Amino acid sequence: MRQDDREELLGELRAAASSAGDASPEEVSALAELARRIRSLGDEPPPREAYLRGRERLLGYLDARQRRPLRWLGAALSEPAFLRAAAALLLASTVGLSALLATGAMGQEGATRENDRSVAPATADRSGALTEPAPPVQPGAPGGTDGAVFQDGVRAYLVARVEEALDGGYRIGGRLVRTTGETNVTGEVKVGSLVAVEGEVAQDNAIVAGSIQVQEEGVTWVMLRGTVEEVLPDGLRVAGRRVVFQGGPQETVIRDPRVPVKSPPLAGPQAVAPGSLVTVDGLLQPDGSVLARGVAVEEYGVVRVTVMGKVEAVVDGGYQVAGRRLTVGPETSVLGDIQVGTSVMADGVLQEDGTILASSIVAERAVPPEPMPLPEVDGGGSSPGAPPTTEGR
Amino acid sequence: MMRNIALAAPAMDEAEVSLSSLKAGERQAWERCYQEWYPKVYSYAYRRTGDREAAADLAAEVFLRMVRELDRYNPQRLSFAAWVFCLAHDRTVDYLRRKGRRSAVSLTVLGERGPLQEDAAEAMAEREALERALRSLTEEQQAVLLLRFYVGLSSEETGKALGKEAGAVRALQFRALRHLRQLLTVEEKRPQAGEART
């Protein structure tokens, strides 16, 4: 039994008063009365919008957890869809979006991985579980995130350290890179520099560089692949990790693979629904978050919608609510007695045909929550609230 | 007769919601849990922060943490209510620290009410005075009074939420109630002084 009784409280207060040495019985009684007044304050009704928003976050989060475990790049290297996205991200983040648009890499098949040193943090587990935030991995370190080369047809995208300066080029990440008068070099290329190279593969397998861009030192470049669990005001939560958009979402590329590659690629974070599978590249921050440079949407996730209104009709396989067709499936949970005219709140997954496959349909009386009934102060017995399975302490 | 002084936190129907359902991630179980507990968590956060938007965000975050940490929850050690409000308290304290200031709420907003019956108006005024006085307490005093009396946790559970021994909670609760009473006494004198001037 979790409830205190008044006598118990009085006893506590008397004991404390005795320790304090200066409280009269009247004061103790007055303090007990004050405690009763606090207890009778009751709940502050939450704003309806906030209530619904929180509910949506919770349900979206539950769905996301059930759909995909935490994954990092290392868990996904064998997946061709990922490789395509990664190649595009490498390009987008290192040689610029314009090059991406020019090559159309995101939309093309056939990107291959030539060098698996692109494996992201060494702690990444192929099973997909990463229980602790990855420690910072310095560029060039074993298992670090540089040294990746992605080849898409004759085009290659390489991020690696300069190992040797050669006549007419460099050895970068074990690969011969040739420069020409056309090569656009950004920054001072030295032995040891971390660079991003974009170019074409010659017959001898060297890369003829179209551009070489020196990367910032002392940063940890990571790629994170996982399910969007939450859309935050300044970014996303992906696979349990916070992804922050630098300078706001408008500066971060969010790409939907269903959109033709030459269409405007920018979209706000709201375009990514919880449940989407995304690959993020960016800088690992000291707090474990990722400062995103690019976000590629690999699978457009579940778009959850909430519908509130009266049931207008009972239709085959569901209901018509507020002009929207709700389909009831075997997984749909229905709370309350729902008939034509009943006000309901439903949430579900938007289908391609515009209908909603309902996850739940709840009779309106429960939303927003009514203030919790307060037990009588002098009454006995009601339990203060643990679920029954948890009552024992 | 035994008199209850602890506020009952929401009870969940065993037949419908069980810990195992929550752990299994069953949507219906979580929906019910949310319906039952969100208002309380929100109210607690609102009373601590004085900010409705922040309270709504904090309450929502508490539920995400509940999902993440439910596997670590041990019902033998802590009631569900205590566990929920440990999380709520932690998040609220984090928020207040980040915010770097004490909670503040517009007193004028609290005072904006339509015409009320005299009794209702008086009850409302008393309630508002109590809420104002509560917000004037130290953060630790606010926490102990709200967790003990508004949420209905025991001294031991409140201690676990605050990282204190039960004895320390009882002493803190006494001092907090005493401080609250002093504040209310001052509050009650204010209108009288105003009336005297007019």
Side-chain angles (χ1 to χ4, degrees):
Chain A
M1 196 75 172
R2 287 183 63 261
Q3 281 183 313
D4 297 339
D5 60 70
R6 183 180 172 81
E7 293 305 318
E8 187 180 324
L9 175 64
L10 283 169
E12 285 180 7
L13 293 174
R14 283 189 200 108
S18 170
S19 300
D22 59 351
S24 65
E26 291 74 24
E27 184 182 7
V28 168
S29 187
L31 298 185
E33 170 59 17
L34 256 185
R36 188 200 64 78
R37 284 179 60 191
I38 295 169
R39 170 213 160 282
S40 65
L41 278 174
D43 292 339
E44 191 69 31
R48 182 188 178 90
E49 280 302 310
Y51 177 85
L52 295 176
R53 202 168 56 235
R55 176 178 174 277
E56 197 168 330
R57 277 177 75 182
L58 172 66
L59 297 180
Y61 186 60
L62 284 169
D63 284 349
R65 277 175 69 92
Q66 294 209 334
R67 287 180 70 223
R68 292 179 198 283
L70 183 68
R71 287 182 184 176
W72 275 77
L73 176 68
L77 277 174
S78 58
E79 296 180 29
F82 169 73
L83 290 173
R84 287 197 300 277
L89 277 167
L90 273 170
L91 179 62
S93 61
T94 58
V95 298
L97 181 62
S98 57
L100 176 67
L101 293 174
T103 60
M106 178 66 86
Q108 293 183 13
E109 297 288 330
T112 57
R113 177 167 59 90
E114 286 199 344
N115 182 340
D116 66 3
R117 283 191 292 153
S118 60
V119 175
T123 51
D125 173 354
R126 288 194 70 84
S127 70
L130 182 68
T131 54
E132 297 296 328
V137 180
Q138 293 306 312
T145 56
D146 64 315
V149 58
F150 291 92
Q151 194 168 317
D152 177 15
V154 296
R155 300 202 69 80
Y157 320 108
L158 167 68
V159 181
R161 282 188 186 282
V162 178
E163 296 167 347
E164 190 180 359
L166 305 169
D167 188 18
Y170 303 92
R171 183 169 302 283
I172 299 174
R175 189 81 177 254
L176 180 62
V177 176
R178 289 204 192 95
T179 53
T180 68
E182 307 276 299
T183 304
N184 180 17
V185 179
T186 308
E188 188 184 356
V189 181
K190 298 182 294 190
V191 172
S193 301
L194 180 66
V195 296
V197 178
E198 177 269 330
E200 290 191 359
V201 181
Q203 285 190 338
D204 63 356
N205 210 33
I207 297 171
V208 180
S211 69
I212 300 178
Q213 192 176 57
V214 178
Q215 301 294 289
E216 189 182 348
E217 286 291 350
V219 297
T220 305
W221 181 67
V222 293
M223 286 180 127
L224 166 65
R225 179 177 186 260
T227 303
V228 175
E229 293 167 348
E230 285 180 72
V231 177
L232 306 169
D234 60 346
L236 305 169
R237 186 174 301 282
V238 177
R241 194 168 291 252
R242 187 172 172 79
V243 173
V244 181
F245 295 134
Q246 46 188 343
Q250 72 281 3
E251 292 183 18
T252 298
V253 179
I254 297 181
R255 179 169 294 282
D256 177 347
R258 297 179 306 186
V259 177
V261 76
K262 289 186 179 176
S263 69
L266 296 177
Q270 300 304 327
V272 182
S276 298
L277 177 63
V278 297
T279 301
V280 178
D281 91 313
L283 302 176
L284 187 63
Q285 304 293 289
D287 65 359
S289 65
V290 176
L291 184 61
R293 292 192 298 190
V295 179
V297 183
E298 282 186 52
E299 287 176 20
Y300 216 66
V302 172
V303 178
R304 298 208 71 86
V305 291
T306 301
V307 176
M308 286 173 290
K310 288 193 174 175
V311 175
E312 295 161 348
V314 178
V315 296
D316 185 29
Y319 304 97
Q320 182 86 11
V321 176
R324 303 299 293 266
R325 172 80 175 267
L326 294 180
T327 310
V328 177
E331 302 294 319
T332 306
S333 67
V334 179
L335 295 178
D337 181 24
I338 296 173
Q339 301 169 4
V340 172
T342 306
S343 291
V344 297
M345 182 177 73
D347 89 297
V349 177
L350 188 61
Q351 306 294 296
E352 285 189 5
D353 63 1
T355 63
I356 296 160
L357 177 58
S359 303
S360 68
I361 305 177
V362 184
E364 173 74 5
R365 60 178 175 75
V367 180
E370 294 166 2
M372 226 65 66
L374 293 172
E376 289 300 316
V377 175
D378 293 331
S382 68
S383 163
T389 51
T390 65
E391 275 188 347
R393 279 191 297 150
Chain B
M1 185 177 72
M2 298 289 275
R3 294 182 173 191
N4 300 321
I5 53 92
L7 174 68
M12 291 163 68
D13 185 340
E14 184 172 17
E16 294 185 69
V17 177
S18 71
L19 200 54
S20 58
S21 301
L22 294 176
K23 284 187 174 176
E26 289 177 17
R27 287 172 61 91
Q28 193 164 344
W30 278 104
E31 285 210 51
R32 283 197 60 82
C33 179
Y34 185 82
Q35 282 177 15
E36 298 287 351
W37 289 88
Y38 182 91
K40 275 237 150 309
V41 175
Y42 170 85
S43 297
Y44 176 78
Y46 174 66
R47 293 209 158 98
R48 295 296 314 280
T49 63
D51 181 331
R52 289 189 185 279
E53 274 299 308
D57 280 347
L58 289 170
E61 285 171 21
V62 166
F63 277 88
L64 301 187
R65 273 191 71 184
M66 285 166 67
V67 175
R68 280 199 288 271
E69 298 189 12
L70 191 63
D71 283 340
R72 293 208 289 271
Y73 165 59
N74 178 3
Q76 306 305 318
R77 184 178 167 272
L78 212 57
S79 72
F80 194 74
W83 178 66
V84 170
F85 280 94
C86 278
L87 299 180
H89 176 74
D90 284 352
R91 286 297 301 122
T92 308
V93 168
D94 284 349
Y95 170 82
L96 291 171
R97 282 183 185 150
R98 281 203 312 273
K99 196 83 173 158
R101 63 173 176 79
R102 291 280 305 278
S103 60
V105 75
S106 165
L107 301 185
T108 53
V109 170
L110 284 175
E112 283 174 7
R113 305 283 185 195
L116 293 169
Q117 295 297 320
E118 197 172 328
D119 287 353
E122 192 177 330
M124 183 69 76
E126 279 186 10
R127 178 192 158 111
E128 288 172 356
L130 178 60
E131 298 219 16
R132 278 197 298 272
L134 271 169
R135 289 193 185 101
S136 300
L137 297 175
T138 67
E139 285 181 11
E140 203 172 45
Q141 288 174 342
Q142 286 180 49
V144 79
L145 293 187
L146 289 173
L147 290 173
R148 280 286 284 125
F149 305 122
Y150 169 65
V151 177
L153 302 185
S154 68
S155 302
E156 288 74 16
E157 289 172 332
T158 303
K160 281 173 182 164
L162 300 180
K164 292 182 182 299
E165 295 296 325
V169 167
R170 287 192 277 269
L172 178 59
Q173 148 190 302
F174 176 77
R175 290 196 300 275
L177 284 170
R178 201 175 219 192
H179 189 185
L180 185 67
R181 188 171 178 234
Q182 288 165 351
L183 290 168
L184 284 169
T185 305
V186 171
E187 178 90 13
E188 281 164 12
K189 285 179 180 165
R190 269 188 195 143
Q192 290 166 6
E195 283 163 14
R197 279 196 299 275
T198 58

